[in-house]
Amino acid sequence: MLLRDIAHTRTGDKGNRSTLSVTVYEPQNFALLEKALTAERVQAHFAGTVHGPVERYALPHLGTLNFVMHQALGGGVTRSLALDAHGKCLSAHLLSFVLE
């Protein structure tokens, strides 16, 4: 099972910090999400991209885990030389790919 099978995500950024919220589709899956998706596992998943600590905040009434990832944007979105370091534009562009 992949994360996308039980949850959706939203992202945001401010300075050199990225926030990522993961929200389950069905409330009964929140316990699984909370157990499996730790700050340490998220930091390991983004190894090489996130150079600072990752903080996790649980919002069980919303079925959401919110992660704050420090030093994640190459100095900040407007300063980074990386192509769309936060990935919003690349993922949106891929959605327009035409399958034949």
Side-chain angles (χ1 to χ4, degrees):
M1 174 187 321
L2 300 175
L3 181 61
R4 69 173 172 236
D5 294 329
I6 65 166
H8 64 91
T9 60
R10 297 284 299 182
T11 61
D13 54 75
K14 185 58 95 175
N16 197 20
R17 221 176 3 256
S18 182
T19 59
L20 197 152
S21 294
V22 182
T23 303
V24 292
Y25 297 123
E26 303 293 334
Q28 66 268 20
N29 289 323
F30 183 72
L32 171 63
L33 182 73
E34 192 171 29
K35 181 179 179 184
L37 207 56
T38 64
E40 295 78 18
R41 290 186 79 187
V42 168
Q43 187 161 24
H45 185 76
F46 289 107
T49 302
V50 176
H51 302 286
V54 173
E55 300 167 330
R56 184 182 90 163
Y57 300 93
L59 300 119
H61 59 290
L62 297 175
T64 300
L65 295 177
N66 187 55
F67 296 90
V68 179
M69 301 181 291
H70 299 269
Q71 298 174 19
L73 301 173
V77 174
T78 57
R79 294 182 51 199
S80 176
L81 297 177
L83 177 60
D84 191 20
H86 51 286
K88 290 179 185 176
C89 292
L90 291 177
S91 63
H93 180 64
L94 186 59
L95 292 174
S96 67
F97 183 81
V98 177
L99 296 172
E100 295 185 22

